[in-house]
Amino acid sequence: MDINMTLIGQSIAMLVFVWFCMKFIWPPIMTAIEERQKEIADGLAAAERGQQSLDKAKAESDEIVADARKQATQILDQAHARANEIVAEGKADGVKERERQLAAATAEVEQETNRAREELRGQVSAIAVASAEKILRREIDAKAHEDILSKLAAEL
Amino acid sequence: MAGESGHGAQTSGEYIAHHLQNLQVCKVDSEWVWNHCAGNPMAINVDSMFFSVILGLVFVFIFRGAAKKASAEKPGKMQAFVEIVIDFIDSSVKDTFHGKSSLIAPLALTIFVWVFLMNLMDLIPVDWLPMLGGAIGVPYLKVVPTTDVNITFGMSIAVFFLILFYSIKNKGIGGFIGELTLHPIAPPMKGVGLIAAPFIIAFNFILESVALLAKPLSLSLRLFGNMFAGELIFILIALLGVWQLPLHFGWAVFHVLIVTLQAFIFMMLTVVYLTLASEEH
């Protein structure tokens, strides 16, 4: 318990250790800590910047997608309109074609009818002549009545 | 247990006294003698100095090892631990001391870790190291340096001189003397009161000197008292035979708190005193 030279010894030891700590322990560790703090701060700032540019890029891409969607809708609308147009055109063409063919068919039928009628007329007259001939051969000379007969044939 | 401590038959009183005896060396008639140095002011407590320096070296090796390998990118586990301690000290110092000083923070670190390690010796069961010492022929061994008043006083006196140094450095000789003599009662500078001025100055000086000297005294005695009492209780518990086991455990757990707290208080008060010394008030 008595005070003795240990006191001085301890004081000297303490000053030596404090000096050593001040020179060789504190500065390098503090440097490392501060360096790391700076790096972390820089890293956080970089992350912040990255986040911002990501946000910007996202906004841009959203815009682009919205544009594309709008364009696509437009194109689709146009295509629909065009398709409707084409269908309408086709319909109109069909109607026209049908009318044309109908007209053509009608004309042909008429023509055919007329031709058949002509032929029929010819045949009827021929039959009439033939039957008249048969009748007259028995009764009259063909030669004598030929003018009457041909006149008849012309009238038919 | 006294009977089992390997020193033959002892009474409890002898056992305790033995545990509280430092291993001393001193020069008597130009010859070095061991353990007959009671009251000799030139004696050295070899055990206190030995453990104190060893623990100081432990501190230095651990922290220097971390400092040498310190890297900002990939801190090792040791570095992380050392950084936690340093960061803790640094923030404690920065909370109190606002000036710029390359000394105060390392000083606080050294004091905290060193005193902590010295206090921690208290947790080693009280008989182990003295028994080991007895086996190799060391008759006395007091393993906790901070239970030696010389050690705590040695540290607080170093702090005291730093206080004086900082006071004079930051306030000048005149400022320092003024601080000692012109507070707390300002002496009258003119008129009839001038007659009373020397008395007031003397009164101030006595008051302020006591306040100044009380700083290292209280600093060292606080640490010494706490650790000595703790050590004494460990010794008393060791006398109890088998019942010492739960008691020792309980007291040791409680003592972990005291060990850390006293180291922190010593460090913090040092920082506060140096802050007061370097700031005008």
Side-chain angles (χ1 to χ4, degrees), chain A residues 16-32:
Chain A
V16 170
F17 283 130
V18 169
W19 170 81
F20 187 87
C21 179
M22 196 175 107
K23 279 274 173 255
F24 301 110
I25 293 175
W26 191 269
I29 293 179
M30 223 46 204
T31 311

Side-chain angles (χ1 to χ4, degrees), chain A residues 1-7 9-11 14 17-18 20-22 24-26 28-30 32-33 35-36 39, chain B residues 24 41-43 45 52 60 64 71-73 79 82-83 86 90 102-103 105 110 114 150-151 154-155 224:
Chain A
M1 274 276 300
D2 8 276
I3 298 293
N4 55 33
M5 289 303 285
T6 314
L7 189 150
Q10 176 71 5
S11 295
M14 176 167 161
F17 283 130
V18 169
F20 187 87
C21 179
M22 196 175 107
F24 301 110
I25 293 175
W26 191 269
I29 293 179
M30 223 46 204
I33 290 176
E35 206 172 301
R36 175 146 8 99
E39 265 167 32
Chain B
Q24 290 181 315
M42 298 306 284
N45 294 346
S52 155
V60 161
R64 177 63 188 156
S71 74
E73 292 82 21
Q79 192 190 338
V82 165
E83 279 180 9
I86 285 194
D90 194 45
S102 56
L103 170 68
T110 311
W114 196 17
N150 286 295
I151 295 293
M155 297 178 81
F224 165 71

